[in-house]
Amino acid sequence: MSSAINSFRLDGRIVLITGASSGLGMHFASLLATAGARVAVAARRADKLLSVVDSITRAGGEARALSLDVTDGASVRQCFDELASWGAPDVLVNNAGVTVTRPLLEQTEADFDSVLDTNLKGNWLVATEAARRMVAAGQGGSIINVASILGERVAGGVAPYAISKAGVIQTTKAMALELARHRIRVNALLPGYVVTDLNRDFLHSDAGDKLRVRIPSRRFGEMTDLDGPLLLLASDAGAAMSGSTVAVDGAHLVSSL
């Protein structure tokens, strides 16, 4: 195996993935475990993660479940304290996120707060604590903030979500600037419309088809489309990348539609 291919491996590295009980987070956990990482999966209810841990361990990987409320600084610190029995994380996949879908004039202050608290404040809390642990351990690392193409463009009915993801992109750049001296890379992954169990019915409906034809590639993404970009950002293959935003969207961002 060539050194270039080997550089995508994560053998023995400690990875923490937030929002890992379903969807992209669950998929990322399986992928990174297959690449050799020791995977800690985190969500508000650790019991919802047991099937993820079981799937990884049955496949020969190493995984554990941690309870984490990303909006609560004490919960964030407790999660990293529990992870410390393995060590400081080498990689953070900052994936936890929520949305509220309704027209702007019908959205409430509670809607805004719930989305921004999870997607932006929570992202900052977890990434900052991960960086502190990496620095204290005297090691570098990789922080991957999962944003969205809606951080760089907009769509109707999801204003708080788009606002939060724009903030995540700027958070990524600010952290990359300050953490580079500590050998910590910070990048953002920007998925386009990716089919998951939560949105499958909509994306395969007539309304979803109207959205699909606005994408230059004329297809929705699959979770596996994110595998290569995620491994690039997590591994030594992306050693010179920091402050980058990596869109995986079938050219949607460069389209005017």
Side-chain angles (χ1 to χ4, degrees):
M1 186 178 293
S2 74
S3 59
I5 294 174
N6 273 329
S7 68
F8 284 89
R9 295 289 304 175
L10 295 167
D11 296 292
R13 297 190 190 181
I14 299 167
V15 176
L16 174 64
I17 304 172
T18 69
S21 60
S22 64
L24 293 180
M26 181 184 294
H27 177 77
F28 292 157
S30 176
L31 170 70
L32 298 181
T34 300
R38 304 168 72 193
V39 176
V41 288
R44 289 188 181 185
R45 289 183 52 186
D47 59 304
K48 290 187 174 182
L49 298 163
L50 297 181
S51 62
V52 182
V53 172
D54 181 63
S55 176
I56 290 171
T57 55
R58 282 190 289 106
E62 188 174 359
R64 63 187 295 188
L66 299 173
S67 178
L68 171 63
D69 178 353
V70 300
T71 70
D72 182 340
S75 176
V76 172
R77 291 187 293 275
Q78 177 63 30
C79 177
F80 280 93
D81 286 345
E82 293 180 12
L83 180 62
S85 62
W86 274 6
D90 297 291
V91 179
L92 167 66
V93 182
N94 217 357
N95 173 70
V98 298
T99 190
V100 173
T101 304
R102 62 172 61 97
L104 177 68
L105 298 182
E106 297 176 15
Q107 290 168 359
T108 66
E109 182 178 355
D111 291 337
F112 186 88
D113 287 346
S114 68
V115 174
L116 271 291
D117 278 355
T118 298
N119 295 7
L120 185 53
K121 177 186 173 182
N123 180 281
W124 180 85
L125 282 172
V126 177
T128 302
E129 189 63 26
R132 291 191 183 108
R133 304 292 174 128
M134 292 172 181
V135 171
Q139 66 185 52
S142 172
I143 295 172
I144 304 166
N145 293 323
V146 180
S148 166
I149 61 168
L150 291 183
E152 294 193 355
R153 60 181 293 151
V154 295
V158 290
Y161 181 83
I163 292 165
S164 72
K165 293 302 185 179
V168 168
I169 291 171
Q170 196 67 2
T171 298
T172 299
K173 294 177 181 180
M175 289 185 166
L177 175 65
E178 294 203 36
L179 295 175
R181 70 196 67 181
H182 299 290
R183 296 183 296 112
I184 298 171
R185 300 183 293 110
V186 190
N187 295 288
L189 184 65
L190 279 58
Y193 290 93
V194 176
V195 178
T196 68
D197 288 341
L198 293 178
N199 64 22
R200 189 180 310 276
D201 288 345
F202 168 74
L203 293 182
H204 290 168
S205 69
D206 290 342
D209 203 54
K210 291 178 181 178
L211 173 61
R212 181 188 59 78
V213 297
R214 295 169 56 193
I215 302 171
S217 65
R218 299 297 190 268
R219 75 173 185 92
F220 295 120
E222 298 292 337
M223 288 191 284
T224 53
D225 292 329
L226 298 168
D227 291 0
L230 185 74
L231 284 171
L232 173 66
L233 297 179
S235 69
D236 290 344
M241 296 178 68
S242 197
S244 299
T245 56
V246 180
V248 185
D249 67 346
H252 203 162
L253 269 182
V254 296
S255 167
S256 61
L257 296 178

